[in-house]
Amino acid sequence: MLPAFIPLLFFVLLSACSTQTQSVVFENSISIIPLPQHISRQASVFVFNTNTAVFCPSKKVEQEFILLKELFKEGGISLNEVAQLPQQNYIEIELKDTVANTKSEKYHLNIDSTRIRLTAYSPVGVFWGIQTLRQLLPTNFSQPKQNILWAVPAVDIIDFPVFEWRGMLLDCCRHFFEKEVIKKYIDCLAFYKMNTLHWHLTEDQGWRLAIDAYPRLTAVGAYRKEADSTIYGDFYSKSDVQEIVAYAKQRHISIVPEIEMPGHSQAAIAAYPHLSCTGQPITVANKWGVFKDVYCAGNDQTFEFLEKVLLEVFALFPSEYIHIGGDECPKFRWENCSKCQNRMQAENLKDEAALQSYFINRMAAFLEKHQKKLIGWDEILEGGLAPNAIVQSWRGMNGAKEAALSGHYAIASPTSHAYFDYDLQAIDLEKVYSFDPVPSGLNAQQKQFIKGGECNMWTERVPDEKTLDAKVFPRLLAMSEVLWTYPRERNYEDFYQRVQGQYPFLELKKIGYGAETIPVKAQVYTSKQSMNVKLLKGSPDLTLKYSFNDTVFQVYEGILSLQNSGTLAVQAFKNNQRYGTPFARQFRKHLGNGIVPELGYTYSSFYTGGGPQALTNGIRGTLDFRDGNWQAVQKESMEIILDLGALKSLKQLSTAFFQKQDSWIFLPEKVDFFIGTVAGNFQKVGTVKNDISPKESKVFIKKFSLTIDSVEARYIKLVAFNIGHCPVWHAAPGSEAWLFIDELVVE
Ligand code: ACM
Ligand code: ZN
């Protein structure tokens, strides 16, 4: 195991030829990410000086050599190119290339006190070796200082990735990111030996790629009118794309463009309405979600359009892979379109899922004709997978498994571990680090079909570079290490320490990285008598301070015993700086506390609210439906029975529901309340109807309360009626609606 991160060590030497003191500075702690496969360390160091030479006889790594020289120039060191191996103090780059090795990413970096030798079998291997060398150098190396000799520890590193596909998706449609931001991300991907930028370029909310044959795609499709009437939009010109692709190529990053079809195509349809089933004019979407206007699968003009677009895409992107989306395509328009229905008849397709499969297969054949490989989201499995298609599994790992079982390649990016748009509550650094890109239940041969993984950075809620950086970093470092080193035994503490050692590098790259984890979690131990709260630190190096009902903040130690209802506020600190977002939760003392209700439903494993006691544990759900306190079911209604254990005089019953209609979460139609004095014999005491429209687009919590007149009862029953399905006006009409509940308060 590598030593934990400790600060820079300085060795002070007296230089031989002058009376000036020169410090040899090197990073004593090795914090390389991703962790090399094999690393051993000697006690000595290699010291760079003004005579350090570089010997690189192979012309095939000219580009890598240029980047190496630039890297050292930034640190104030001009490497002297030599034509013959010198006696000492040199870097030697050796390319052992044979035809068989052109794709090998392996490198061997051997450093002793006299020389650095980097050996690889391909230019990409040389490039990864240079990234490792940079990570061995002190961070502040690129800020040249007088009287300092930079050095690196003597190490022997033999390294190679386990997965060939190590990617990050960047959605530049929901929000647009400037060329310079894309380049910054390419630099970072390369620094962490990720090799794929999956560039999401077309969406409902904006088409971002200039296409000569269809100028309205950008003239119209790149701009949306926001709810406040401002215009939002931009796009990449062909020369922007060429510049970015070339920049990426130099850094061994492949850019895989994603051109979405048949769904997520509202911006294209806004530009060219004849591509939809209705042909009616629509606008570029200005809300988030899934929209029902999609490309018409019955109209040959759709395919002519997409083929022409793709020909221009092929010309721009050298990638052998093209992503065609394929996810979240509502079938509502197709069900009601004579052209689509005619196509289904003519092609003998049994349903709209088969029509989607027809669509994807037709595009796959076109790609194949042009020697391009098709990647699509796991929905492309529905209705039959195109012969050589690659599946990107996002709705869990089943898509990857199904693909591998049928001999198709797969890329794993499940929402559980790889969605960097999710907040830290759902996916923190440790969760990403625990990611297993190989689905369970595959034999050794089937496992070969898992090409690797990706993290997905969707940007609905990422309006700017600052937010982007805070979401991607440091989580990207975990993804990088998982995909490079798998299935090595993982030690999160060691990784966490190395991440601390990477922060100075991220600062140099002007990355505004975020927190590793949510700073605090509350565990609530509620019984009939007491409500005790244990605060868990997100990581051991944090200090927590808390306040209950606005008391002065004090350092948290031990367990808090809450005597009344109120608000608990907590702030974490790391290195004496505020860390992460402040935490606040409301607690409620009531007669039901600590009683385990009988639930007439099976709650979602994603939204348990903390388990069987979620509704009576006293802690209330917040405006974040993923905060762990909401309990949810899809499509079903909820029936809850509570036994108070003895007759109690009741004054009020209340509960709360959540609405976020673009996430398919709706209030119940109504809630019926019942009470009883003996088991199984209930008397209805009232109904509270929902008086807020399901169309309400705000995110909010609504209480459903019933006041009763001090009636004695032991049993309480509540029935909350799910609206069942998303209504016809909804972006995903007919989809199963969610019902989210928290706390059944009994007074
Ligand atoms: C996806 O997140 N819709 C692929
Ligand atoms: Zn149609």
Side-chain angles (χ1 to χ4, degrees):
M1 201 44 55
L2 290 169
F5 176 75
I6 34 177
L8 275 183
L9 260 198
F10 291 83
F11 279 2
V12 180
L13 297 181
L14 214 55
S15 96
C17 57
S18 85
T19 52
Q20 233 181 358
T21 304
Q22 289 199 298
S23 306
V24 172
V25 177
F26 68 98
E27 194 77 59
N28 188 42
S29 60
I30 295 179
S31 300
I32 300 168
I33 291 179
L35 188 64
Q37 301 290 353
H38 303 284
I39 176 167
S40 60
R41 183 172 178 180
Q42 283 78 47
S44 58
V45 296
F46 175 90
V47 182
F48 294 90
N49 62 35
T50 50
N51 296 319
T52 300
V54 58
F55 176 63
C56 178
S58 172
K59 287 280 164 268
K60 291 187 182 161
V61 289
E62 220 156 14
Q63 186 54 46
E64 292 67 30
F65 188 38
I66 291 169
L67 291 175
L68 175 77
K69 284 184 290 186
E70 279 173 11
L71 173 67
F72 279 84
K73 209 168 258 162
E74 280 170 26
I77 297 167
S78 290
L79 296 173
N80 306 305
E81 274 178 67
V82 291
Q84 288 203 326
L85 212 52
Q87 290 294 313
Q88 58 173 8
N89 206 282
Y90 62 89
I91 303 175
E92 179 190 359
I93 297 174
E94 186 191 7
L95 183 70
K96 287 191 175 173
D97 60 330
T98 64
V99 175
N101 281 326
T102 52
K103 281 192 165 179
S104 170
E105 297 185 78
K106 187 172 178 177
Y107 69 92
H108 181 186
L109 181 64
N110 183 277
I111 304 176
D112 66 22
S113 60
T114 65
R115 52 114 189 94
I116 294 175
R117 181 180 290 148
L118 173 59
T119 314
Y121 304 89
S122 69
V124 64
V126 169
F127 186 70
W128 297 147
I130 293 171
Q131 304 315 306
T132 297
L133 179 59
R134 177 64 189 97
Q135 290 198 16
L136 285 168
L137 278 156
T139 323
N140 57 353
F141 155 80
S142 49
Q143 294 147 356
K145 287 198 177 68
Q146 288 254 303
N147 304 328
I148 278 187
L149 292 173
W150 301 111
V152 284
V155 287
D156 187 53
I157 292 174
I158 297 173
D159 202 11
F160 51 86
V162 173
F163 290 105
E164 67 174 277
W165 193 284
R166 305 181 302 278
M168 169 178 155
L169 171 146
L170 182 59
D171 168 9
C172 291
C173 302
R174 273 53 176 264
H175 286 100
F176 180 83
F177 295 93
E178 298 292 342
K179 201 164 58 180
E180 294 315 315
V181 178
I182 312 289
K183 286 186 178 174
K184 180 173 97 168
Y185 272 77
I186 289 169
D187 280 333
C188 289
L189 290 173
F191 193 63
Y192 294 109
K193 305 187 180 89
M194 303 277 279
N195 61 3
T196 304
L197 176 64
H198 170 171
W199 201 5
H200 190 73
L201 286 166
T202 74
E203 255 306 336
D204 298 310
Q205 296 86 0
W207 181 287
R208 304 272 172 245
L209 177 65
I211 297 292
D212 296 335
Y214 298 101
R216 285 173 61 85
L217 284 173
T218 43
V220 174
Y223 301 93
R224 64 177 180 253
K225 190 172 184 180
E226 302 284 29
D228 65 1
S229 290
T230 56
I231 302 295
Y232 182 93
D234 208 336
F235 65 92
Y236 304 99
S237 69
K238 288 200 162 172
S239 75
D240 289 337
V241 172
Q242 283 155 349
E243 185 182 329
I244 289 169
V245 167
Y247 190 84
K249 184 164 182 271
Q250 286 174 346
R251 288 156 184 80
H252 295 279
I253 305 288
S254 164
I255 301 192
V256 176
E258 181 177 353
I259 307 296
E260 275 265 22
M261 61 189 81
H264 287 291
S265 47
Q266 189 164 323
I269 293 169
Y272 296 100
H274 72 279
L275 299 173
S276 75
C277 289
T278 68
Q280 292 302 306
I282 52 170
T283 54
V284 177
N286 65 356
K287 290 192 182 130
W288 315 130
V290 173
F291 299 93
K292 54 180 172 275
D293 284 299
V294 302
Y295 293 126
C296 177
N299 184 351
D300 280 334
Q301 287 181 306
T302 296
F303 295 95
E304 184 193 331
F305 163 82
L306 288 170
E307 290 177 6
K308 276 196 186 164
V309 167
L310 285 175
L311 286 176
E312 294 192 32
V313 170
F314 300 160
L316 281 170
F317 294 92
S319 163
E320 60 178 313
Y321 302 97
I322 302 290
H323 204 301
I324 52 79
D327 60 320
E328 298 180 317
C329 179
K331 307 298 187 293
F332 181 78
R333 290 292 190 218
W334 292 359
E335 284 161 6
N336 297 288
C337 168
S338 57
K339 292 188 288 280
C340 286
Q341 294 302 314
N342 287 343
R343 174 86 74 200
M344 284 165 63
Q345 269 207 328
E347 299 288 336
N348 200 17
L349 305 170
K350 75 173 193 309
D351 56 16
E352 284 74 17
L355 183 57
Q356 155 126 353
S357 175
Y358 163 86
F359 196 116
I360 302 295
N361 270 281
R362 190 162 160 173
M363 296 315 299
F366 179 75
L367 259 62
E368 190 134 331
K369 198 167 95 190
H370 293 272
Q371 292 82 46
K372 295 287 186 184
K373 294 178 180 154
L374 179 146
I375 309 176
W377 299 106
D378 56 44
E379 284 92 334
I380 68 169
L381 284 154
E382 291 161 14
L385 189 56
N388 295 316
I390 297 162
V391 174
Q392 184 163 6
S393 197
W394 71 282
R395 297 173 301 174
M397 294 294 283
N398 280 344
K401 183 168 182 174
E402 210 180 308
L405 288 175
S406 63
H408 288 82
Y409 285 105
I411 296 161
S413 61
T415 51
S416 57
H417 293 76
Y419 269 50
F420 286 6
D421 53 326
Y422 288 17
D423 59 25
L424 295 175
Q425 181 83 46
I427 302 180
D428 65 6
L429 185 68
E430 189 167 4
K431 180 88 184 255
V432 180
Y433 199 61
S434 72
F435 176 41
D436 185 345
V438 180
S440 57
L442 297 184
N443 65 30
Q445 199 201 346
Q446 291 155 348
K447 282 180 186 171
Q448 300 301 314
F449 286 101
I450 307 301
K451 284 174 91 67
E454 270 186 21
C455 45
N456 292 347
M457 189 61 247
W458 302 105
T459 58
E460 284 94 332
R461 286 159 197 90
V462 183
D464 50 38
E465 185 181 351
K466 184 166 173 260
T467 317
L468 181 68
D469 287 356
K471 284 203 170 269
V472 174
F473 294 95
R475 290 186 286 191
L476 183 86
L477 280 61
M479 186 56 79
S480 136
E481 183 149 310
V482 164
L483 296 173
W484 185 273
T485 65
Y486 179 91
R488 226 184 137 104
E489 208 161 285
R490 290 176 214 169
N491 176 336
Y492 181 69
E493 276 72 45
D494 172 72
F495 172 71
Y496 181 85
Q497 292 306 324
R498 283 182 287 119
V499 169
Q500 311 311 303
Q502 290 291 329
Y503 287 143
F505 285 115
L506 295 182
E507 283 156 21
L508 264 180
K509 292 176 186 296
K510 301 201 165 37
I511 295 281
Y513 54 88
E516 295 99 356
T517 179
I518 52 163
V520 54
K521 278 190 185 137
Q523 275 181 353
V524 191
Y525 302 92
T526 306
S527 67
K528 287 182 187 171
Q529 292 76 34
S530 64
M531 196 153 60
N532 292 334
V533 181
K534 185 173 176 185
L535 298 178
L536 304 175
K537 295 194 267 190
S539 53
D541 52 3
L542 300 180
T543 306
L544 303 180
K545 292 187 179 174
Y546 75 96
S547 151
F548 191 61
N549 284 337
D550 294 328
T551 54
V552 176
F553 274 85
Q554 50 189 305
V555 175
Y556 168 81
E557 294 164 287
I559 298 222
L560 303 175
S561 186
L562 305 183
Q563 302 307 319
N564 356 68
S565 300
T567 303
L568 177 68
V570 185
Q571 174 65 54
F573 294 84
K574 179 170 172 177
N575 303 326
N576 292 321
Q577 305 279 333
R578 280 172 185 270
Y579 178 90
T581 43
F583 171 100
R585 292 288 183 277
Q586 291 193 357
F587 288 84
R588 192 71 162 80
K589 277 252 181 193
H590 60 90
L591 291 174
N593 283 151
I595 300 172
V596 181
E598 191 183 309
L599 305 177
Y601 57 90
T602 307
Y603 49 80
S604 154
S605 60
F606 295 109
Y607 307 105
T608 66
Q613 243 204 55
L615 305 184
T616 52
N617 63 1
I619 185 167
R620 312 233 37 172
T622 65
L623 276 173
D624 172 7
F625 70 88
R626 297 193 183 98
D627 71 8
N629 296 311
W630 292 99
Q631 195 169 77
V633 290
Q634 203 171 7
K635 199 170 106 202
E636 276 183 81
S637 290
M638 290 174 163
E639 184 183 290
I640 299 150
I641 294 174
L642 203 64
D643 174 5
L644 299 174
L647 287 177
K648 296 276 163 76
S649 173
L650 304 181
K651 294 195 196 67
Q652 193 174 56
L653 302 174
S654 68
T655 186
F657 294 90
F658 194 91
Q659 180 155 311
K660 185 169 184 293
Q661 54 107 325
D662 66 358
S663 296
W664 311 2
I665 304 170
F666 294 91
L667 298 180
E669 261 165 26
K670 60 171 184 172
V671 180
D672 287 342
F673 291 93
F674 305 80
I675 57 173
T677 51
V678 291
N681 190 1
F682 285 102
Q683 174 201 347
K684 187 164 166 182
V685 283
T687 293
V688 181
K689 288 208 169 112
N690 173 25
D691 56 4
I692 300 182
S693 167
K695 282 190 175 167
E696 175 56 62
S697 60
K698 278 205 300 280
V699 176
F700 63 94
I701 295 167
K702 180 176 161 62
K703 273 192 190 163
F704 285 68
S705 296
L706 184 77
T707 304
I708 40 186
D709 205 7
S710 299
V711 180
E712 294 248 308
R714 171 172 167 177
Y715 297 91
I716 294 160
K717 183 165 96 173
L718 175 154
V719 183
F721 293 84
N722 192 329
I723 67 163
H725 295 92
C726 299
V728 279
W729 52 262
H730 191 264
S735 298
E736 294 179 355
W738 286 92
L739 188 58
F740 272 62
I741 189 173
D742 185 40
E743 204 67 12
L744 170 53
V745 178
V746 183
E747 291 169 288

